[in-house]
Amino acid sequence: MIFSSDNWAGAHPLIAESLVKAAPGFAPAYGTSPLDRRVEAMLAEVFEREVAVFFVGTGTAANSLAFASVTRPGGHVFCHREAHVNADECGAPEFFSLGARMAPVDGAFGKMDPERLEAEIKRFPPGFVHAGQPMAVTLTQATEAGTVYTLDEISAISDIAKRYNLPLHMDGARFANALVALDATPAEMTWKRGVDILSFGGTKNGCWCAEALILFDPAKTGDMPYLRKRSAQLFSKTRFVSAQLEAYLDKDLWLDLARHANAMAKRLADGISDSNSARLAWPSNANELFVILKTANAEALKEKGALFYDWPVPHALAGTLAADEGLYRLVTSFATEPADVDAFLEGCRSA
Amino acid sequence: MIFSSDNWAGAHPLIAESLVKAAPGFAPAYGTSPLDRRVEAMLAEVFEREVAVFFVGTGTAANSLAFASVTRPGGHVFCHREAHVNADECGAPEFFSLGARMAPVDGAFGKMDPERLEAEIKRFPPGFVHAGQPMAVTLTQATEAGTVYTLDEISAISDIAKRYNLPLHMDGARFANALVALDATPAEMTWKRGVDILSFGGTKNGCWCAEALILFDPAKTGDMPYLRKRSAQLFSKTRFVSAQLEAYLDKDLWLDLARHANAMAKRLADGISDSNSARLAWPSNANELFVILKTANAEALKEKGALFYDWPVPHALAGTLAADEGLYRLVTSFATEPADVDAFLEGCRSA
Amino acid sequence: MIFSSDNWAGAHPLIAESLVKAAPGFAPAYGTSPLDRRVEAMLAEVFEREVAVFFVGTGTAANSLAFASVTRPGGHVFCHREAHVNADECGAPEFFSLGARMAPVDGAFGKMDPERLEAEIKRFPPGFVHAGQPMAVTLTQATEAGTVYTLDEISAISDIAKRYNLPLHMDGARFANALVALDATPAEMTWKRGVDILSFGGTKNGCWCAEALILFDPAKTGDMPYLRKRSAQLFSKTRFVSAQLEAYLDKDLWLDLARHANAMAKRLADGISDSNSARLAWPSNANELFVILKTANAEALKEKGALFYDWPVPHALAGTLAADEGLYRLVTSFATEPADVDAFLEGCRSA
Amino acid sequence: MIFSSDNWAGAHPLIAESLVKAAPGFAPAYGTSPLDRRVEAMLAEVFEREVAVFFVGTGTAANSLAFASVTRPGGHVFCHREAHVNADECGAPEFFSLGARMAPVDGAFGKMDPERLEAEIKRFPPGFVHAGQPMAVTLTQATEAGTVYTLDEISAISDIAKRYNLPLHMDGARFANALVALDATPAEMTWKRGVDILSFGGTKNGCWCAEALILFDPAKTGDMPYLRKRSAQLFSKTRFVSAQLEAYLDKDLWLDLARHANAMAKRLADGISDSNSARLAWPSNANELFVILKTANAEALKEKGALFYDWPVPHALAGTLAADEGLYRLVTSFATEPADVDAFLEGCRSA
């Protein structure tokens, strides 16, 4: 009954196996091996176009390098208030982009409200140096609230970014979970809807450590190779990343893993909706659930071995919880077993 | 006949296997899993004292974070002119330490000359703001020239650092190769000789990606957890590093691998010394050799499939090479086979 | 009728004269001249204790260096949402403090609400690296809304800062205006109420360019001399700042100038309160007024030559303005003439 | 007998007077006043072309912003080893350019040797991320050694910069002294010889605090307004700089002041050349002299009230001084009196 986070799961057996297979023999270092090239080609195929690919170590690195590549003095990156870049990256985006500011935009259930986004951008009239200047827009797909922007919602954000000449970045730490939720193609969910730069995450979905920064316009690569090296994110034995991604992308393993995680979340959501003792705080689209439980109930579940986090109640929900209730986050992963879901639901009911 | 670099080798089978073993199951993320703790304990045992351990993704990250943790405005880090931090890290040390300068010190065969080190430090009188201020001393062990500081040479550097109240950092990208070359203990080669912070490298010696920053005085950990997170070097599934290091340290695998690499370098060196057609540019102590060959000879070897890099002739050797000679670097690793060495030597003789 | 900003005024004649007097002759450079020392002593007397004084070029520099001196990775500086450091310094605080984040705190009329301040600080549990960490608290005195924290209100903020071990900075761009408004001593309004670092502004109150960073605990000066030099704020001919401040502080000229500016603001406020065609948006304590006018009225005044800025309506006032009304900011200075005030009021009435 | 530095002199009376004249009245702030515009027009006339002008507070700020505007990750700025940016700015260039490295180039008497410059640039093959990348070339005119690049020498440097597509910056802290030494026009000494960006210094030559960054291609202004604001170098009452420069440029006052300073240096040089007890270390072209004196002689002069600095002996002179000799720097300024020069020479002879 471990629902703490999808990064509490380890690596999928096929990915571990791929690392074993890639271990022997010599290969050029620093991203120039044949395997590196092969995985880049696989990603081009996945996205149906030529892309520039930069392997990095963490999602935070991918996000922060994206901003570093478009940094401007006094720059503002517009993001949802609860976005990972704003709430959970300890100033990395500011550090990499040398002082750019994460500018929070509100919106229900983890998604930026397009009108509010535009209102925020408008607060920075061109040439008024005191306030600084807009620099980029970033959205998280799936969001930190477990929701997923629809394709049209992505377009709405993208249209505004384009109107103000701002590059659009997508934090895809849970890219695969969003993709299978929408039943869209990778191209449809990104560049066809105006996304310029993608943090493509593999770690949360069954890899050990496999993140890539993907630029949909390779002509804009610019100094990215130097930016990555300067930020100490250029691995010497890059094939250890490529080997993971080769297995990850092969025969759509990545989509299968995400479908499994989402299905486990749905099984959990359905059980909770049927229950008298718990309810969803808002609808879940991917592999994260936000659940309202009696606090006593939650404690009882924890005592039975369930692991999940207490979560701060967002403004939008203020006043809707009873005094004896709390908000909790549950995350499923490729490794979540139906039996664990059922045990949790059973515990829920009996509590 | 691949002698390009030790990072062209992959991962040792025991290390790949350890990753397979660690793959299933759930574990706390971000460096808090039982396996993370176990490896930290193994490192404490290796170094015969309590240490603070920070896993990071690259040697450049370890070095740069070391400087970031002791940064001062207008700071100078004294290093050998050919040190990796000065010559090969694309400004990462400056970036992480927010503008500190790598201050090159000369010295024969990759080792800083203690007198020159002190002369350089003395150029910064306390309180003279225009020149900036000393901030740290760093030495590379084994050096970029394939040599190894003796314990007394480390003490000579350390004494100067202490005299000026400067922390002493050791870049141990090839720590194991130096250690077995000296037949010293890890403690003897570090804190017992005054080293304060160590970049402990496992990648070049048989891991996929396993680097650790080690602080010998855990009380001085300070903001390091935040510094690491801010630089996007905190992996979520840290057990993928721990699992590598567990196998690496277990039953002294790491020392065996380094002994093998050094032995291969010695076999190569011996063969070259016996040869009429090649000579060592200077003595090698670890797993890197710098060899003077006729350029035609080098080309012939390359045509036969030997891989190794041309190397710029350092000032100290200027004028000692004939017009038809060149300087070349050869690196051996845990994966180098005697047969490859012998093939190279054979090619050398017949060229 | 120029009420655009107090920095539209030039320099007071006594200050210009002091520069003429200081022009001839040689003096040590970089802050070491006898005149520099004399002004430092004057400031020590003004503040009734030993202080460390650093002349800089702009208020932004003083604020940013204050944060730079206490910077922490992933650091948050808690400030009012409308504070100059958050709204008007184009990322300088982030740049100088190498990525620290300005963390906005709400509160009526430009003053941080102590409860909200504490709630914001509490969002950063010690050791939770993902969120970053608290680093400092800063308050603006007088505020950007023209109000002034009372001594007890300063204590309330200070108590919280102390409780969380955070240094307290005061942005005193309009220090003198606040001081005479409270009829307090400089010591009472700063260190006696827990302020650790002060940006002491002279420019807005009759100097050309005279700003000083003042540390109330000189033992904590640390690397400030290097920080100032590194940020290119160490003037060579520092006596051009000292000469201004000597005249500024001499015989309490600075307090007289601030009293005049505040009196002009009061004259304006009184006239507006008596008027049928205008009203104050909120009470003014110093030399800035926020006035609600019919937009037609405002246009008519502008046509008659009045200069003042349109101002965005803050959340707290939303819905309280009629459709044909706007919010406007008026600032008085040492150079504002009663006749200008009266002309404005006359224009107001007749519009 | 004050020869410590030209920044020990105060301000020329006409400049102080201009500040008095500009003191009354209101004017738009932040660089938009009519006087600001007028001085920009004067500078356009001085340089015979449209230029973009940015007033800043210090020469270090001008230099550092120049580099900030062309910064690249892992960037190297090639400069003379003894250049002010390398030796005397406490890491400001690194800080502003976010970690770019000052890459020292050798050359006799303060001037970069063009061949060595090219050799240094060539050490950075395009695309080799580990070493970083070239970013700019900067030369100091007059140099820190008191010499002046001839127009052809500037072209030689410029040709190399252009060949490698690098912007060329000139640190003109003593621009006027160099200009009158060459009897060239400002255009001839800058953009006509390939200089792209100029730090135009007025402070050392009779202003209080008047420095400007001048871009010869205004189309490349880019983010400079934001860069200046972010670095806290945008003064509010900019007319205090403009007023200085108006008087400075009016009727060629600046050239007269520089001619005087240079003439005083020549008087000093001639006297020393005629003397038996002192000699010039190398020829002086502007207003700085480097003199070899017996140390006892220097001490005697100091006791008589002469002020000048001991100077480290550069490598090029090593071994040419007798054991009882030292190297000393003497700087003249607009305020140096012939009587002071003669007193020094008299002291020299009698010592």
Side-chain angles (χ1 to χ4, degrees):
Chain A
M1 290 196 289
I2 296 183
F3 303 101
S4 313
S5 181
D6 31 10
N7 58 33
W8 282 47
H12 188 270
L14 287 173
I15 286 164
E17 204 173 279
S18 184
L19 279 171
V20 172
K21 226 176 64 191
F26 294 85
Y30 299 117
T32 60
S33 78
L35 183 54
D36 298 328
R37 290 282 167 275
R38 196 152 65 240
V39 169
E40 286 171 18
M42 289 172 87
L43 283 164
E45 207 176 322
V46 160
F47 284 100
E48 303 173 43
R49 67 177 292 163
E50 203 192 338
V51 290
V53 176
F54 294 86
F55 301 141
V56 294
T58 60
T60 295
N63 293 337
S64 299
L65 278 170
F67 304 149
S69 73
V70 297
T71 195
R72 317 175 84 179
H76 287 68
V77 176
F78 300 92
C79 60
H80 191 273
R81 180 176 301 283
E82 294 158 23
H84 202 262
V85 294
N86 191 44
D88 288 299
E89 299 191 347
C90 190
E94 288 92 340
F95 176 56
F96 278 64
S97 65
L98 308 151
R101 189 181 288 185
M102 298 299 108
V105 176
D106 287 308
F109 308 141
K111 301 183 197 175
M112 281 184 285
D113 177 314
E115 279 185 37
R116 293 202 186 188
L117 171 61
E118 183 156 20
E120 286 298 317
I121 295 176
K122 275 187 172 162
R123 291 178 50 212
F124 299 87
F128 184 69
V129 294
H130 307 284
Q133 56 186 332
M135 168 182 135
V137 177
T138 179
L139 50 79
T140 316
Q141 180 79 323
T143 74
E144 296 295 307
T147 55
V148 171
Y149 285 90
T150 64
L151 298 186
D152 286 349
E153 285 171 343
I154 296 172
S155 289
I157 298 294
S158 164
D159 288 350
I160 294 167
K162 297 287 169 279
R163 195 171 312 144
Y164 293 90
N165 262 315
L166 300 175
L168 179 61
H169 168 258
M170 179 181 277
D171 176 356
R174 293 187 179 96
F175 185 81
N177 302 93
L179 197 68
V180 300
L182 291 182
D183 199 18
T185 68
E188 282 167 0
M189 200 170 83
T190 55
W191 61 272
K192 288 189 174 174
R193 294 291 180 156
V195 173
D196 300 299
I197 315 180
L198 170 68
S199 297
F200 180 80
T203 307
K204 283 180 161 50
N205 191 35
C207 293
W208 270 131
C209 166
E211 305 284 321
L213 188 61
I214 294 181
L215 310 184
F216 293 112
D217 183 354
K220 288 191 180 154
T221 295
D223 276 332
M224 187 61 86
Y226 292 92
L227 283 168
R228 177 176 56 174
K229 176 69 190 179
R230 184 182 67 170
S231 60
Q233 293 284 344
L234 177 58
F235 296 115
S236 54
K237 298 181 176 175
T238 23
R239 58 177 146 149
F240 98 88
V241 179
S242 311
Q244 293 177 66
L245 289 178
E246 189 184 37
Y248 185 67
L249 298 173
D250 189 41
K251 300 197 195 88
D252 288 344
L253 174 64
W254 65 307
L255 302 179
D256 292 340
L257 298 183
R259 277 189 202 104
H260 176 82
N262 287 12
M264 290 301 99
K266 187 163 186 314
R267 186 183 189 109
L268 206 42
D270 289 348
I272 284 167
S273 299
D274 290 349
S275 130
N276 292 325
S277 56
R279 64 185 192 279
L280 292 182
W282 56 81
S284 158
N285 304 137
N287 68 321
E288 290 192 294
L289 266 83
F290 293 81
V291 180
I292 297 168
L293 295 173
K294 289 202 194 312
T295 50
N297 201 340
E299 288 313 307
L301 277 158
K302 287 180 181 174
E303 265 162 45
K304 284 176 188 150
L307 290 179
F308 53 94
Y309 285 119
D310 299 5
W311 212 252
V313 178
H315 280 287
L317 285 191
T320 69
L321 273 70
D324 63 348
E325 291 181 328
L327 180 65
Y328 304 93
R329 187 189 77 165
L330 284 85
V331 191
T332 58
S333 76
F334 80 95
T336 306
E337 304 276 355
D340 278 321
V341 171
D342 297 342
F344 182 90
L345 292 171
E346 174 58 33
C348 227
R349 277 187 293 271
S350 66
Chain B
M1 290 195 289
I2 297 183
F3 303 102
S4 312
S5 181
D6 30 11
N7 57 32
W8 283 47
H12 189 271
L14 288 172
I15 285 164
E17 204 174 279
S18 184
L19 279 170
V20 173
K21 226 176 63 192
F26 293 87
Y30 299 116
T32 60
S33 77
L35 183 54
D36 298 328
R37 291 282 167 274
R38 195 150 68 238
V39 169
E40 286 170 18
M42 288 172 87
L43 283 165
E45 206 175 322
V46 160
F47 284 100
E48 303 173 43
R49 67 177 293 162
E50 203 192 339
V51 290
V53 176
F54 294 86
F55 301 141
V56 294
T58 61
T60 295
N63 293 337
S64 298
L65 278 170
F67 304 149
S69 73
V70 297
T71 195
R72 318 177 81 178
H76 287 70
V77 176
F78 300 91
C79 61
H80 190 272
R81 179 176 303 280
E82 295 158 23
H84 202 262
V85 294
N86 192 44
D88 288 298
E89 299 190 347
C90 191
E94 287 91 340
F95 176 56
F96 279 64
S97 65
L98 308 152
R101 189 180 289 184
M102 298 299 108
V105 175
D106 287 308
F109 309 140
K111 300 184 197 173
M112 282 185 285
D113 178 313
E115 280 185 36
R116 293 200 186 189
L117 170 62
E118 183 155 21
E120 286 297 319
I121 296 175
K122 276 187 171 163
R123 291 178 51 213
F124 298 87
F128 184 69
V129 293
H130 307 283
Q133 57 186 331
M135 167 182 136
V137 176
T138 179
L139 51 79
T140 315
Q141 180 78 324
T143 74
E144 296 294 307
T147 55
V148 172
Y149 285 90
T150 65
L151 298 186
D152 286 349
E153 284 170 343
I154 295 172
S155 289
I157 298 295
S158 164
D159 288 349
I160 294 166
K162 298 286 170 278
R163 194 173 313 146
Y164 293 90
N165 262 315
L166 300 175
L168 180 60
H169 167 257
M170 178 181 279
D171 175 357
R174 295 188 177 94
F175 186 81
N177 301 95
L179 197 68
V180 299
L182 290 183
D183 201 16
T185 69
E188 282 166 1
M189 200 170 82
T190 56
W191 61 271
K192 288 189 174 175
R193 294 292 179 155
V195 173
D196 300 298
I197 314 180
L198 170 69
S199 297
F200 179 80
T203 307
K204 282 179 161 52
N205 191 35
C207 293
W208 270 130
C209 166
E211 305 284 320
L213 187 62
I214 294 179
L215 310 185
F216 292 112
D217 182 354
K220 288 191 180 154
T221 295
D223 276 332
M224 188 62 86
Y226 292 92
L227 283 168
R228 178 177 55 173
K229 175 70 190 176
R230 184 182 68 170
S231 60
Q233 293 285 342
L234 178 58
F235 297 114
S236 53
K237 299 181 176 175
T238 23
R239 56 177 146 149
F240 97 87
V241 178
S242 311
Q244 293 177 64
L245 289 177
E246 190 184 37
Y248 185 67
L249 297 173
D250 187 43
K251 299 198 195 87
D252 289 345
L253 174 64
W254 65 306
L255 301 180
D256 292 342
L257 298 183
R259 276 188 203 105
H260 175 82
N262 287 11
M264 290 301 100
K266 185 161 189 315
R267 186 182 189 108
L268 206 42
D270 289 348
I272 284 167
S273 300
D274 289 351
S275 131
N276 292 325
S277 54
R279 64 186 192 279
L280 292 181
W282 57 81
S284 158
N285 303 136
N287 67 321
E288 289 192 296
L289 266 84
F290 293 80
V291 180
I292 296 168
L293 295 173
K294 290 203 193 310
T295 49
N297 200 340
E299 289 313 307
L301 278 158
K302 287 179 181 176
E303 266 161 46
K304 283 176 188 152
L307 290 179
F308 53 93
Y309 286 119
D310 301 5
W311 213 251
V313 178
H315 281 288
L317 285 191
T320 69
L321 272 71
D324 63 349
E325 289 181 329
L327 180 65
Y328 304 94
R329 188 190 76 164
L330 285 84
V331 191
T332 58
S333 76
F334 79 95
T336 305
E337 303 276 356
D340 278 320
V341 170
D342 296 343
F344 182 90
L345 291 172
E346 174 57 33
C348 227
R349 276 188 292 270
S350 66
Chain C
M1 291 196 288
I2 297 184
F3 302 102
S4 312
S5 181
D6 32 10
N7 58 34
W8 282 47
H12 189 272
L14 287 173
I15 285 163
E17 204 174 278
S18 184
L19 279 171
V20 172
K21 226 176 63 192
F26 293 86
Y30 298 116
T32 60
S33 78
L35 183 55
D36 298 328
R37 290 282 167 275
R38 195 150 68 239
V39 169
E40 286 170 19
M42 289 172 86
L43 282 164
E45 207 175 321
V46 160
F47 284 99
E48 303 173 43
R49 66 178 293 162
E50 203 192 338
V51 291
V53 176
F54 294 86
F55 301 141
V56 295
T58 60
T60 295
N63 293 337
S64 298
L65 278 170
F67 304 149
S69 73
V70 297
T71 196
R72 317 176 82 178
H76 287 68
V77 176
F78 300 92
C79 60
H80 190 273
R81 180 176 301 282
E82 295 158 23
H84 202 262
V85 294
N86 191 44
D88 288 298
E89 299 191 346
C90 191
E94 287 92 339
F95 176 56
F96 279 64
S97 65
L98 308 153
R101 189 180 289 185
M102 298 300 108
V105 175
D106 287 308
F109 308 140
K111 300 184 197 173
M112 281 184 287
D113 178 313
E115 279 184 37
R116 293 202 185 187
L117 170 62
E118 183 155 21
E120 286 297 318
I121 296 175
K122 274 186 171 163
R123 290 177 52 212
F124 299 87
F128 184 68
V129 293
H130 308 283
Q133 56 187 332
M135 166 183 136
V137 176
T138 179
L139 51 80
T140 316
Q141 180 79 323
T143 74
E144 297 294 307
T147 54
V148 171
Y149 285 89
T150 65
L151 298 186
D152 285 349
E153 285 171 343
I154 297 172
S155 289
I157 298 294
S158 164
D159 287 350
I160 294 166
K162 298 285 170 280
R163 195 172 312 144
Y164 293 90
N165 261 314
L166 300 175
L168 179 60
H169 167 257
M170 178 180 278
D171 176 356
R174 295 187 178 93
F175 186 81
N177 302 93
L179 196 68
V180 300
L182 291 182
D183 200 17
T185 68
E188 282 166 1
M189 200 170 84
T190 56
W191 61 271
K192 287 189 174 174
R193 294 290 179 156
V195 173
D196 300 299
I197 314 181
L198 170 68
S199 297
F200 180 80
T203 307
K204 282 180 162 50
N205 192 35
C207 293
W208 270 131
C209 166
E211 304 285 321
L213 188 61
I214 294 181
L215 311 183
F216 293 113
D217 183 354
K220 288 191 180 154
T221 295
D223 276 332
M224 188 62 86
Y226 292 92
L227 283 168
R228 178 177 55 174
K229 176 70 191 176
R230 184 182 68 170
S231 59
Q233 293 284 345
L234 177 58
F235 296 115
S236 53
K237 298 181 176 175
T238 23
R239 58 176 146 150
F240 99 88
V241 178
S242 311
Q244 294 177 65
L245 289 178
E246 190 184 36
Y248 185 68
L249 298 173
D250 188 41
K251 299 198 195 87
D252 288 345
L253 174 65
W254 65 306
L255 302 179
D256 292 342
L257 299 183
R259 276 189 203 106
H260 175 83
N262 288 11
M264 290 301 99
K266 187 163 187 315
R267 187 183 189 109
L268 207 41
D270 289 349
I272 284 167
S273 299
D274 289 351
S275 131
N276 293 325
S277 55
R279 65 185 192 278
L280 291 182
W282 56 81
S284 158
N285 304 138
N287 67 321
E288 289 192 295
L289 266 84
F290 293 80
V291 180
I292 296 168
L293 294 174
K294 289 203 193 310
T295 50
N297 202 339
E299 288 313 306
L301 277 158
K302 286 180 182 174
E303 266 162 45
K304 284 177 188 152
L307 291 180
F308 53 93
Y309 286 118
D310 300 6
W311 212 251
V313 178
H315 282 287
L317 285 191
T320 69
L321 273 71
D324 62 348
E325 289 182 331
L327 180 64
Y328 303 94
R329 188 190 75 166
L330 284 85
V331 191
T332 58
S333 76
F334 79 94
T336 305
E337 302 277 355
D340 278 322
V341 171
D342 297 343
F344 183 90
L345 292 171
E346 174 57 33
C348 226
R349 276 186 292 270
S350 67
Chain D
M1 291 196 290
I2 296 184
F3 302 102
S4 313
S5 181
D6 30 11
N7 57 33
W8 283 46
H12 188 271
L14 287 172
I15 285 163
E17 204 174 279
S18 184
L19 279 171
V20 172
K21 225 176 62 190
F26 293 87
Y30 299 117
T32 60
S33 78
L35 183 55
D36 298 328
R37 290 283 167 274
R38 198 152 65 240
V39 169
E40 286 169 20
M42 288 172 86
L43 283 165
E45 207 176 320
V46 160
F47 284 100
E48 304 172 43
R49 67 176 293 161
E50 205 193 337
V51 290
V53 176
F54 294 86
F55 301 142
V56 295
T58 60
T60 295
N63 293 337
S64 298
L65 278 170
F67 304 149
S69 72
V70 297
T71 195
R72 318 176 82 179
H76 287 70
V77 176
F78 300 91
C79 61
H80 190 273
R81 179 176 303 282
E82 294 157 24
H84 203 262
V85 294
N86 192 44
D88 288 298
E89 300 191 346
C90 190
E94 287 91 340
F95 176 55
F96 279 64
S97 64
L98 307 151
R101 188 180 289 184
M102 298 299 109
V105 175
D106 287 307
F109 309 140
K111 300 183 199 175
M112 282 184 285
D113 178 313
E115 279 185 36
R116 292 200 186 189
L117 170 60
E118 183 155 21
E120 287 297 318
I121 296 175
K122 275 187 172 163
R123 290 178 50 212
F124 298 87
F128 184 69
V129 294
H130 308 282
Q133 56 187 332
M135 167 182 137
V137 176
T138 180
L139 50 79
T140 317
Q141 179 79 324
T143 74
E144 296 294 307
T147 54
V148 171
Y149 285 90
T150 65
L151 298 186
D152 285 349
E153 284 170 344
I154 295 173
S155 288
I157 298 294
S158 165
D159 288 350
I160 295 166
K162 297 287 170 277
R163 195 172 311 146
Y164 292 91
N165 262 314
L166 300 175
L168 179 61
H169 168 258
M170 178 181 278
D171 176 356
R174 294 187 178 93
F175 185 81
N177 302 94
L179 197 67
V180 300
L182 291 182
D183 199 17
T185 68
E188 282 167 2
M189 201 169 83
T190 55
W191 61 272
K192 287 189 174 174
R193 294 292 179 156
V195 173
D196 299 299
I197 314 180
L198 170 68
S199 298
F200 180 79
T203 307
K204 283 180 160 51
N205 192 34
C207 293
W208 269 132
C209 166
E211 304 284 320
L213 188 61
I214 293 180
L215 311 184
F216 293 113
D217 183 354
K220 289 193 179 151
T221 296
D223 276 333
M224 187 62 86
Y226 292 91
L227 283 168
R228 178 177 54 173
K229 176 69 190 176
R230 184 182 68 171
S231 61
Q233 293 285 341
L234 177 58
F235 296 115
S236 53
K237 299 181 177 176
T238 23
R239 56 177 147 149
F240 97 87
V241 178
S242 310
Q244 293 177 65
L245 289 178
E246 190 184 35
Y248 185 66
L249 297 173
D250 188 42
K251 300 199 194 86
D252 288 346
L253 173 65
W254 64 306
L255 302 179
D256 291 342
L257 299 183
R259 276 188 204 105
H260 176 82
N262 287 11
M264 290 300 100
K266 185 162 189 314
R267 186 184 189 109
L268 207 42
D270 289 348
I272 284 167
S273 298
D274 289 350
S275 131
N276 293 326
S277 55
R279 65 187 192 278
L280 292 181
W282 56 81
S284 158
N285 304 136
N287 67 321
E288 289 192 296
L289 267 84
F290 293 81
V291 180
I292 297 168
L293 294 173
K294 288 202 193 312
T295 49
N297 201 339
E299 288 314 306
L301 278 158
K302 286 179 182 176
E303 265 162 45
K304 282 175 189 153
L307 290 180
F308 52 94
Y309 285 119
D310 300 5
W311 212 250
V313 178
H315 281 288
L317 285 191
T320 69
L321 273 70
D324 62 349
E325 290 181 328
L327 179 65
Y328 304 94
R329 188 189 75 164
L330 285 86
V331 191
T332 57
S333 76
F334 80 94
T336 305
E337 303 275 355
D340 278 321
V341 171
D342 297 343
F344 183 89
L345 292 172
E346 173 59 34
C348 226
R349 276 188 292 272
S350 66

